[in-house]
Amino acid sequence: MKGLLATFAAISFFSASALAQGTVTGAISGKVTDPQGAIVTGATVTVTNPATNASVSVTTADDGVFKVTNLQPGKYRVETTATGFGKGTAEVIVEVGATTNLDMPLKIGEA
């Protein structure tokens, strides 16, 4: 019985290690707000990797939150647009296995 338990523990340990080593991407998440700090729902957030020009767009949820996952590590440009607001832009670094937090306050104006 001890041998079976030891074998199970070893398999569990190495499986967890393999899963941890399998993470090769990161993510960006945050909240889009107006100048008073109120949430902006339905905003479009576009994340672009300037090295590859690959981009992905998402829309903020009812709570103003967005999340873009499965991003290769590196530098990204983030652009946010919403009706009645100017375009918000930022640059962030995505690291392996990490979620970069980026809150995007928008200014009133035309996109």
Side-chain angles (χ1 to χ4, degrees), residues 23-27 49 51 70-76 93-97:
T23 302
V24 295
T25 61
N49 180 331
N70 296 321
L71 297 172
Q72 295 300 312
K75 186 176 182 179
Y76 285 83
I93 302 293
V94 171
E95 297 177 350
V96 172

Side-chain angles (χ1 to χ4, degrees), residues 47-55 74-78 91-92:
V47 176
T48 304
N49 180 331
T52 64
N53 216 29
S55 66
K75 186 176 182 179
Y76 285 83
R77 183 177 63 248
V78 181
E91 288 188 355
V92 297

Side-chain angles (χ1 to χ4, degrees), residues 14 26 28 31 46 52 72 76 80:
F14 289 116
I28 301 171
K31 185 183 292 187
T46 302
T52 64
Q72 295 300 312
Y76 285 83
T80 305

